[in-house]
Amino acid sequence: MKKHNYSAGPCILPQEVFQQSAQAILDFNNSGLSLLEISHRSKDFVAVMDEARALVLELLGLEGKGYQALFLAGGASLEFLMVPYNLMKIDGKAAYLDTGTWANSAIKEAKHFGETMIVGSSKSENYNHIPKDYSIPADASYFHCTSNNTIFGTQMKSFPKTNTPLVCDMSSDIFSRVIDFSQFDLIYAGAQKNMGPAGTTLVVVKEEILGKTGRSIPSMLDYQQHVAKESMYNTPPVFPIYTSLLT
Ligand SMILES: Cc1ncc(COP(=O)(O)O)c(C=O)c1O
């Protein structure tokens, strides 16, 4: 009997994905080696990474539009700080929409880097709706929102039209609906809700917004480094990436 998990945490994955990924643990592509012991620099695994990154852009309709897809580690929670590290200008500010628990976690990390403006909030009504009628200051380095508020159950149906770079945490609704993804400059999502097991985070970023903060960024936290190394700056989490590709 197929059971469902209504608790916090990971999603249900298709049985055929489990079968194929389980087989890859035993013997990956008839190589005589497990996916877990083959080199991540091998032809077979590089092909997995390349296909996974390309498929993300294809599924989101972002091919050839200046975006890069990365599979990083550290969960969506690490993106809460990588976003301001990479996008908030020195002495700059960033605008956030406060729609619940995860938005708050993102706001908390941004405060380490500079002025963090909450331009709209539904906190006083226990986050029972998405705030409307807010404006985004023109001097904000970026605007951050959470497309689906996993705990409060609210979802953004539309996104502000703005010239400010638009950043969205899509951890719990990525690939669940068709929208115009080209309105976003950076999207991130932990794999475990909609794609695969925990351990990798999808980041889709428009390259032209990077490298503009004036701040020096440690390599592992620098999106430009990860782009330059085709998402293989260090040893990637091969199993969650392969499983996400199959899904
Ligand atoms: C919308 C949203 N953002 C961020 C997170 C945190 O993700 P992670 O556990 O990958 O850091 C979650 C986890 O449930 C989430 O639902």
Side-chain angles (χ1 to χ4, degrees):
M1 187 181 76
K2 185 73 185 160
K3 291 189 176 177
H4 285 277
N5 172 16
Y6 291 105
S7 303
C11 62
I12 299 293
L13 292 171
Q15 279 301 306
E16 54 269 46
V17 166
F18 281 129
Q19 275 152 14
Q20 230 179 305
S21 57
Q23 179 53 39
I25 297 279
L26 299 173
D27 185 351
F28 182 47
N29 284 358
N30 297 318
S31 63
L33 288 171
S34 165
L35 171 68
L36 303 182
E37 57 193 0
I38 197 170
S39 168
H40 60 289
R41 308 260 175 222
S42 65
K43 199 161 62 57
D44 280 6
F45 189 76
V46 170
V48 168
M49 181 63 102
D50 289 349
E51 192 184 354
R53 295 178 68 214
L55 270 177
V56 164
L57 297 184
E58 187 187 321
L59 283 171
L60 299 180
L62 296 177
E63 274 173 315
K65 294 186 178 167
Y67 289 82
Q68 292 278 347
L70 302 169
F71 284 93
L72 305 181
S77 298
L78 188 63
E79 303 316 312
F80 295 157
L81 72 96
M82 280 181 73
V83 164
Y85 220 149
N86 284 265
L87 302 185
M88 200 193 292
K89 294 200 171 70
I90 290 189
D91 298 326
K93 38 179 111 153
Y96 278 73
L97 194 61
D98 172 23
T99 53
T101 306
W102 298 111
N104 269 280
S105 299
I107 291 164
K108 183 173 162 225
E109 299 309 315
K111 285 183 175 164
H112 290 288
F113 296 89
E115 190 183 334
T116 305
M117 297 170 291
I118 297 176
V119 295
S121 173
S122 47
K123 185 174 180 181
S124 61
E125 287 160 279
N126 197 28
Y127 297 113
N128 65 3
H129 65 283
I130 303 287
K132 289 196 175 68
D133 301 327
Y134 54 88
S135 57
I136 300 169
D139 58 348
S141 296
Y142 62 88
F143 168 75
H144 179 285
C145 58
T146 311
S147 55
N148 190 63
N149 295 283
T150 321
I151 294 172
F152 290 95
T154 55
Q155 187 182 47
M156 294 179 77
K157 302 295 179 198
S158 62
F159 298 86
K161 306 263 172 286
T162 172
N163 292 326
T164 304
L166 189 52
V167 176
C168 190
D169 174 1
M170 294 195 185
S171 291
S172 58
D173 65 356
I174 186 96
F175 299 130
S176 69
R177 56 180 170 160
V178 178
I179 50 177
D180 174 12
F181 291 95
S182 70
Q183 65 192 301
F184 302 98
D185 295 271
L186 192 148
I187 296 165
Y188 61 90
Q192 68 273 16
K193 296 278 187 288
N194 286 13
M195 280 178 277
T200 191
T201 311
L202 173 65
V203 175
V204 178
V205 60
K206 201 171 199 176
E207 266 196 281
E208 67 181 26
I209 68 163
L210 298 176
K212 296 191 170 162
T213 62
R215 116 172 357 105
S216 155
I217 306 173
S219 305
M220 270 298 283
L221 301 178
D222 185 350
Y223 290 131
Q224 281 188 313
Q225 289 279 352
H226 290 289
V227 168
K229 299 290 181 186
E230 300 178 331
S231 204
M232 292 252 211
Y233 179 81
N234 71 323
T235 315
V238 295
F239 185 71
I241 294 169
Y242 182 62
T243 308
S244 298
L245 166 65
L246 296 177
T247 309

